[in-house]
Structures are given as C-alpha cells and as structure tokens.
Amino acid sequence: MALDSKIPKGPIADKWTNYKNHIDLVNPANKRNIDVIVVGTGLAGGSAAATLAELGYNVKAFCFQDSPRRAHSIAAQGGINAAKNYQGDGDSTYRLFYDTVKGGDYRSREANVYRLAEVSANIIDQCVAQGVPFAREYGGLLDNRSFGGVLVSRTFYAAGQTGQQLLLGAYSAMNRQIGRGKIKMYNRHEMLDVVVVGGKARGIITRNLITGEIERHSAHAVVLGTGGYGNVFFLSTNAMGSNVTAAWKAHKRGAYFANPCYTQIHPTCIPVSGDHQSKLTLMSESLRNDGRIWVPKKMEDVLAIRNKTLKPKDLAEEDRDYYLERRYPAFGNLVPRDVASRAAKERCDAGFGVNATGEAVFLDFASAITRYGKEQATVRHLDVNDAALVKKLGQEVVKNKYGNLFQMYEKIVDQDPYETPMMIYPAVHYTMGGVWVDYNLMTTVPGLYCIGEANFSDHGANRLGASALMQGLADGYFVLPYTIGDYLSKDIRTGKIPTNTPEFDEAEKNVRDRINHLINNNGTHSVDHFHKKLGKIMWDKVGMSRNAQGLKEAISEIKALREEFWKDVKVPGTNEEFNEELAKAGRVADFLELGELFAKDALMREESCGGHFREESVEQDGEQKGEAKRDDENFAFVAAWEYKGEPSDAVLHKEELEFVDIELKQRSYK
Amino acid sequence: MNLTLKIWRQKNKDDKGKLVDYKINEVSPDMSFLEMLDVLNEQLINKGEDPVAFDHDCREGICGMCSLFINGQAHGPDRGITTCQLHMRMFKDEDTIFIEPFRATAFPVIKDLVVDRTSFDRIQHAGGFISVNTSGNTIDANAIPVNKHDADEAFEAATCIGCGACVASCKNSSAMLFVGAKVSQFALLPQGKVEATDRVLNMVKQMDEEGFGNCTNTGACEIECPKGISLENIARMNREYLSASLKG
C-alpha cells in the first residue's frame, strides 16, 4: 500500500481553514446514532472524548488507571507552548511552526506542524474558560516563561504542575459529559486488541483489570490516545503502567508504525541510585531557565567532589566548566533536549561525572538566586550588598517558581537544592515515533485514529519542551473532532455494529489464548526480570548513542530474550482476578517485539538526526565538528513499518518529507 | 536494613482479610517504599506465592494513584508526600511496619491494598466542571483578568491529586477536603462563579449519597494531605453551600 498523507492543497497558512470548509459534516440527529471508542484519557484521549461527546457522538472511553484523571499527562511539569505573543517578543504562528520543525531536526511533516501552531493559541483560551489556574502576573494577565530551543517566551504554566492542571481541565470536560450520559467511562480496563471488520476498525477487546472479564466493545470508529513507549527501556520518566500495547495491537492489525527509533532522552532527570530503581524522575526543563549546568574542569576536583572532600558550592568559578555555555554560546543552557543530553554524556564519558556512578552533572541555581535576590532588594529598597539578605530574597523567588520541583528533589536525593547544586543525568522521557497517521490523524487502518504522543506526526526526530501538552490538546480538542466527522459522515446509515461476528470471535480468542499461555506457562522468572534485561539492552545499545554493530547485537539479543520470555516467564495467579503481573506480562511481551523493530529502524537510519545519534554520522570539521550530521539527501523521509509477523520481517514504506515553507539547513545552536 | 512487614491481605472485596507477616532483608535506605514492596513481590513470585496488590503509577507524587496506610498514617510518616515519594531512610533497622489499605465505606477494598475510589469520580461528575464547550470559540484568555492572589489560591486548591488520604485519615471518613478543594478552585475564579450555586449543591448531595461522613473539624485531613490542601477550603465550601441553600 502506498502511503498517502492526504495533505490539503494550497498555501500552508490556508490549508487547515480550507480543509475545514470543505469536509463533510454529520448532522446532530445522526451523531446520536454513531458510537466512537476512545482509548486512553490523557490530554489527547480525554480532550477528544469530551469534545466528541459535546458534538453529540456516543463515546465509550477506556483507561487502565482507576480514574481518567491519573493518565500520565498529569506528570508533565513545565508548561504548554502557544503562539499568543502576549510578551510582544516577536512570536507568531510561523515562528512556532519554524521552531518546531527546526527543533525536530527537519523530520516532521510541515502541514501538520503548521496546523498545530495555528490552533495553539486557542488551547489557552479554551483552558482558561474551563478554569485552569495558569500562573498570572500582578496585573491579572497570564505569565509566560521560556523553554529550550527557542528565543521567545511562549510557555504558559501552572507552577511545576502544568500537565496536572491541563489534564484536570480535560477531565472536568469529560465529567460534564459523563454526568450527561454522553460518555460511558470504563476505568481499570485495558485494551488488548482492535477488531477490524470489512477493512474498517469497528471495535476493541478489553480486559477488566478487576475481574479479568474479557469484553467486546463495538463502535463506528476507534481512537487511540494511549501515549508513548518509553518504558521499553524499563527505566524512564514514564509512569509504571505506561505501555505500547494498544499501539502495538493496532500495528499488528495493519497500522504502520513510524520512526520507532526517535526517542527523547531528557537531560535533566535525577540520576539512578541503585539496582532497586523502578523509575526515573524528571526535573522540569523549565529549571534550565535559571539553572546553569556544569562539571569541574579538573579531574582532581571531580575526584574530590566524589569523595565528598570538596563541596561543589566551594569550587571556584574559574574551575567550573559550564560546558553548554562554552559549546553553544547563542542558546547556552537552553539548547534543545537532545543536544543537552549528548553534551552531558560526552562529559561523563570523558570521566567528569560528579557522583559515585560517574553519571551525573550539576544543575546550579546559585547565580539565579543572587540575581533574583538583588532584583528583589532593589525593588524593595533594601541593601543589595547584604549577601545573606540577597540570598534569602532570591531563594523566595526561586521557591515560587520551582518550589514543588525542589521539594521533589530533596525527598528523593536527601539533599537541599537551595544550598547545593542538583545532580542530574539524562533519562528516557518521550517517544516522537509512533503509529503513522495522515493529515486526518487516521492510521493506515480506515476508521482507526491515533492522537497525542501515540502517533508520530508533529515532533520529527526531537520534541521541544512544552510541546507535548500542546499537541495532545490540539489533537483532541481541535483537530480530531473535525477530521473524524468527515469519515463518520459516510456511516450515518450503518446502524449499530454487532459484536457477535466472526471478527470479534477471532479477536477475543486471540486475547484469551495469549492470556492462557501466560498464566499456564509456569516458568522460572518474573516479568520484571525480562523487562529489566530488555531495558539494559535498549539503554546500552539503542540509547543516547548508537552504532551499526551495537544495533545488530541488540536485534539478535532482543529476539533471543523474547523467545526466552515465552518459554520461561512466570505469571502467578489466574485471569479471573485483579492480577497486575498478568497485565504487566502482556505489556512486556509487546515491548519485546517493539524493541526489535526499534533497533531495526535505528540501524536502517544511517544518519544522525534529533534524538537519534549514529556514531558513524558526525561532522568531521569546521565550526560544527563533532556535532550530529544529518543526511537529507538519503533520509528526509518518515520510516513507516508494516507488520508481517516477526519484527525482522517488517516492511519499510517511505513517506518523503517535502519542505516548501522552511529551508532545510543544519540545526545550529552555537 | 532488616524489616518485619505486617501487610493486609484480602483476596477480593468479599473476603474478610487479615494481616500477614513478612520478613524482608537488606533494604537500602535510598529505596522508595514502593521499591521495597517491589523487592518483596519479586521474592514472593519466586517462591510461588501471590504478590501483594497495591495501586501505583507515576511514582513521582502527582497522579494520586498510590495510597497505603503505613503505621497508622496515610502515605506514611513523612509530611507533604505520597507513598511513592516515601523513602526507606525514614525507617530504622529491625522496624516493624504495618501496611493497610485506605479504609472507608465509600472506598471498598478490591484486593489487598487496592481500593475502589470511583466515588470521588462520581462527585466530580455531579459538578466538578465549568459548563463550557471545548470548541475553542471562547474569548481571548487575557480578556478575563484574574487577581493574582485569587489565581494563586485557586491553583493551591486545584493541586489536589484525589488520592483519598483525607478520607482515610478522617475518623468520620469525610470527603469535605476533597470536595472543598474543587468547589474552592472554581468559586475563586470569575469563570466559575456563574454556576457556583448548582455546583456546590450537586457535589455535596453526591458526596452524601456516596456514604462519606461529616466534618467535625479535627483537621487530620489537612495534616495528612500530601499536597497541603488547607482547611480554608472546607470553610469556603461551607460558605458557598450556605449561600447557595439560601438562594435555592
């Protein structure tokens, strides 16, 4: 099947408006006869479910958590971008579009990104109307901050809990529709297959996580807003339950999986403390607005800090290497995430890591505290030369901005970041790859849609900070509700989709057979045992830096591990009960397939772009020496993989990327 | 550290349940409490026993999924955190730790330490929203200036994670802090004032129907709340409720 991205004709600034003017609509009376399934209730799924219900469709929404409010969007900290230009600092729809395409290292689809920038401003209006308590200035208007990879302040925020507040906004919109009976909510349900009838997605099979009951649900269209697959690395900033299962089942039913190797390794996370580690905690990128990243210049100071004979705050300025400011004077500490992560790895690989494991760098607020303190002292007509006073005033400002993050850090690490610099190290955070979708956000299976982090469309090979929330809500509130209507307008005479058909029988049998296999396997190792092994292969060989040999090894090691898993995994208990090990086993089984495709995709892409860094592809000389080298001549395409059985048999389809409105150039943050 | 754990085991909602003793050795003080339970579960699985069921997801204190009553306190001994942020450095070698589910009539046990908190969701369905369509055709965000003090207070109220610690800590299993926080968030914002009367009446009615108890101002909820939601929110809800009742 040839890939058709269905990008509307015309100038980029008019595409979305023209598109909306010419699609087919469904009249309100007919909407009442149409059912839509939404899987996942994060920013994308939650906003889509609420909006579709408001429009009049009958929505069934599903989440594996005990409440839709707990989806992992809730953990997003720093903010949400929107081209409001409230600061008058030169922002515009075009600039947000340009920053996003450039930040994504020219591997995203122009038309989708432009639409995202175009609807971004509306998101803020919408959320304020819903009562989302964004940070405000004393005049009562909305405040902004800036984020990595951009030169304007366009990020709206609610302290360090922006994701939580936006999700509660979407959840409240859902609640209104649940109360009206327009959304039927299924908590603690996990989707285990997509049902395709006559070539169209017409339902799903779920497992009730409390009773183990296997259920059939039908609809005229199915929407997946099921998030990313960072947990393929075992350790990531994702929630424990975040998984690829829904997306992977869609892939096995015909949805192409795009750019699986594009992973974002976030530069500012709390370093690993030991083998017991179950997850990693992010420290928001917003901290890089005020924090300066450094390691010591001299090895003797590194060793002294590790032995605790030297306190980091006592090291003289001239003995510190603020390596981001040194290497990238234009953007400094605000370079994009992929660049900042690789720079940290480079210093630590060179031996300058500042903790016992050698995998940590400092994020230091001392100069921000002094700067803010002096500002406050000036405003309040106090003595700017009183160091203790300045420090106290500065700490208050920093506490206001980042208090909850500092508290989080102190609880985990047992050190006070107001007094000593934080230690940070990169960790897996977000996956730009995902299910391939066209301009309508429809996958290669008609009637099956994919939105938010679960799809691949907007962030190319690297996502800019504060853009995930923007994409999730843009897809759910403003894009999908239009595009799905165009598709459903052909379904007004279809009538209810029956669930007693051979297609549902076959899908349910598949699900049951697999569960029975897992339960009756009686192997010797727990699910986590395999998950940790997979994570180690991924991190060592498919992580921040990749090469052909390592990737080939990873492919064969993951395949072998998968075979071992099916022979030797041990799942206690039965299906007919609350059984988290069984749920985990199903998710890890899918990660073991995805992981191989991931490595295969990384091996195919013989260039460095965004979060994908191939050691074979670096600049050899000039100002950019040592930086990642993209290959636009051979790799300016989306890699969409078609399922054919084993991951090794997956077939590559290329969607060539055309850049009409933005000139392809090397990304420079110097 | 070597520890003795006394953990509530209950097969399902109909089972009577009981405390069962477990020994766990070589616990690192840098482990989180839930990582300690992960280690215990790994050992149980390897021995062919049923692992302990507990709710958890983000493991960074924001999703509100984790719960646990640890040594008689919701989310354990430390202040201002959820169970997933509790670290073993808060305990000593040879300690005995009691681990029980959040207990309330409105939170029935599903299995072991996992409880059903959908009663919270149903209270939100009754009025925890502003009735505005998500079409995006609203007025510009900056057309509604909000006094910074009110915005900050609304935000403080909105940081509730819906974990249920307030209910579990209250001798009457009252949900007033949870409901008060949501009512306050909207009551403090101009956008929320339009529906304030119906909202507070409907949410309180649903709260009562779910079987939550009354507030007797002991303040245990505020102390145990991982997000420090203040009792002022209950007072504000009471005022809102009174004025709504008089209007109604």
Side-chain angles (χ1 to χ4, degrees), chain B residues 180-216:
Chain B
K182 195 39 99 181
V183 166
S184 287
Q185 179 197 339
F186 291 141
L188 283 159
L189 296 171
Q191 306 93 298
K193 289 206 165 53
V194 184
E195 292 169 282
T197 305
D198 286 348
R199 177 179 305 113
V200 69
L201 293 176
N202 291 338
M203 290 183 80
V204 168
K205 179 166 173 277
Q206 187 66 35
M207 174 179 84
D208 290 342
E209 282 172 13
E210 295 291 346
F212 291 103
N214 289 321
C215 172
T216 46

Side-chain angles (χ1 to χ4, degrees), chain A residues 111-185:
Chain A
N112 285 51
V113 178
Y114 194 90
R115 176 176 64 188
L116 175 68
E118 198 176 336
V119 303
S120 67
N122 251 336
I123 297 174
I124 304 304
D125 300 339
Q126 178 62 52
C127 292
V128 166
Q130 281 171 350
V132 171
F134 284 119
R136 288 177 183 269
E137 295 170 342
Y138 282 99
L141 303 183
L142 294 159
D143 193 17
N144 291 115
R145 53 169 59 143
S146 61
F147 255 61
V150 301
L151 299 170
V152 294
S153 279
R154 64 161 73 99
T155 305
F156 295 79
Y157 67 100
Q161 285 141 276
T162 317
Q164 179 196 28
Q165 293 310 320
L166 294 173
L167 183 60
L168 293 180
Y171 168 70
S172 73
M174 281 183 83
N175 285 333
R176 179 169 162 239
Q177 300 305 324
I178 295 171
R180 293 167 70 185
K182 288 304 290 181
I183 298 179
K184 174 102 177 79
M185 185 66 224

Side-chain angles (χ1 to χ4, degrees), chain A residues 243-555:
Chain A
N243 66 78
V244 77
T245 290
W248 196 251
K249 302 302 185 196
H251 176 54
K252 288 177 127 174
R253 292 285 178 187
Y256 293 2
F257 207 99
N259 304 330
C261 80
Y262 289 166
T263 316
Q264 178 158 84
I265 315 273
H266 197 294
T268 55
C269 300
I270 298 178
V272 173
S273 75
D275 292 337
H276 54 264
Q277 194 97 26
S278 62
K279 80 152 272 167
L280 297 170
T281 303
L282 174 77
M283 288 284 104
S284 167
E285 175 162 312
S286 60
L287 294 173
R288 285 199 277 144
N289 270 300
D290 287 313
R292 298 176 70 194
I293 296 176
W294 63 275
V295 293
K297 276 185 187 159
K298 295 186 220 140
M299 192 52 82
E300 70 231 42
D301 292 332
V302 171
L303 298 175
I305 284 172
R306 283 189 200 166
N307 300 335
K308 303 198 186 336
T309 51
L310 173 67
K311 286 189 177 157
K313 66 174 179 176
D314 295 334
L315 188 66
E317 274 298 305
E318 61 269 22
D319 291 327
R320 300 176 177 195
D321 177 13
Y322 294 95
Y323 57 83
L324 288 177
E325 296 169 33
R326 167 171 59 81
R327 288 179 64 181
Y328 307 100
F331 281 69
N333 292 296
L334 284 175
V335 291
R337 293 174 174 179
D338 55 333
V339 177
S341 290
R342 277 198 295 279
K345 179 172 160 49
E346 188 276 329
R347 282 295 78 194
C348 291
D349 287 353
F352 291 88
V354 293
N355 69 352
T357 64
E359 293 196 329
V361 299
F362 288 125
L363 176 63
D364 196 333
F365 294 87
S367 45
I369 287 172
T370 309
R371 176 163 46 85
Y372 285 124
K374 285 194 170 163
E375 193 180 298
Q376 283 300 311
T378 309
V379 170
R380 300 186 199 179
H381 305 294
L382 298 170
D383 180 8
V384 294
N385 298 316
D386 181 342
L389 175 78
V390 164
K391 188 173 169 190
K392 182 172 160 286
L393 293 172
Q395 284 182 348
E396 279 169 20
V397 176
V398 168
K399 190 174 179 192
N400 260 326
K401 291 186 136 182
Y402 312 112
N404 72 315
L405 300 170
F406 277 50
Q407 185 220 18
M408 199 189 271
Y409 182 86
E410 188 176 354
K411 291 292 177 191
I412 295 173
V413 183
D414 205 20
Q415 287 181 0
D416 178 3
Y418 293 101
E419 295 296 338
T420 184
M422 285 185 182
M423 284 187 287
I424 53 160
Y425 197 68
V428 174
H429 179 55
Y430 185 91
T431 49
M432 284 74 66
V435 179
W436 186 89
V437 289
D438 61 18
Y439 188 76
N440 301 312
L441 305 180
M442 188 152 87
T443 69
T444 45
V445 177
L448 180 62
Y449 290 79
C450 191
I451 58 179
E453 185 179 351
N455 77 25
F456 87 104
S457 74
D458 293 355
H459 307 295
N462 174 55
R463 178 175 66 74
L464 290 180
S467 284
L469 304 185
M470 173 173 69
Q471 188 216 343
L473 290 181
D475 286 0
Y477 281 141
F478 303 132
V479 180
L480 180 86
Y482 283 97
T483 61
I484 203 170
D486 191 40
Y487 173 81
L488 291 171
S489 65
K490 282 96 191 162
D491 253 331
I492 53 174
R493 290 189 189 83
T494 308
K496 223 151 185 65
I497 309 293
T499 57
N500 58 350
T501 54
E503 291 85 353
F504 275 92
D505 292 345
E506 184 261 344
E508 183 181 325
K509 183 173 181 306
N510 254 347
V511 167
R512 285 188 186 278
D513 287 351
R514 195 167 138 116
I515 288 173
N516 289 338
H517 181 109
L518 290 169
I519 289 283
N520 298 324
N521 201 41
N522 288 326
T524 48
H525 291 295
S526 71
V527 176
D528 278 358
H529 167 87
F530 292 99
H531 197 178
K532 285 180 182 176
K533 276 191 156 180
L534 172 65
K536 183 156 171 42
I537 299 170
M538 294 297 295
W539 184 245
D540 289 347
K541 293 176 176 167
V542 203
M544 254 190 287
S545 170
R546 303 158 178 177
N547 62 55
Q549 195 201 332
L551 291 168
K552 283 179 192 157
E553 285 167 13
I555 289 171

Side-chain angles (χ1 to χ4, degrees), chain A residues 51 54 67 69-70 84 86 122 125-126 128 131 140 165 171 188 240-241 278-279 407 411-412 526 580, chain B residues 35 42 55-60 63 78 80 89 121 125 134 136 140-142 146 158 160-162 185 191:
Chain A
T51 309
E54 279 168 15
S67 165
R69 65 179 292 156
R70 310 211 196 278
K84 277 286 197 188
Y86 280 162
N122 251 336
D125 300 339
Q126 178 62 52
V128 166
Q165 293 310 320
Y171 168 70
R188 294 198 196 261
M240 301 301 286
S278 62
K279 80 152 272 167
Q407 185 220 18
K411 291 292 177 191
I412 295 173
S526 71
E580 196 183 2
Chain B
E35 284 167 350
E42 183 80 16
D55 265 331
H56 64 106
D57 200 25
C58 78
R59 295 206 179 190
E60 50 188 76
C63 75
D78 207 354
R89 63 179 83 94
D121 282 329
H125 303 161
T134 58
D140 184 84
N142 263 351
V146 182
C160 166
I161 56 175
Q185 179 197 339
Q191 306 93 298

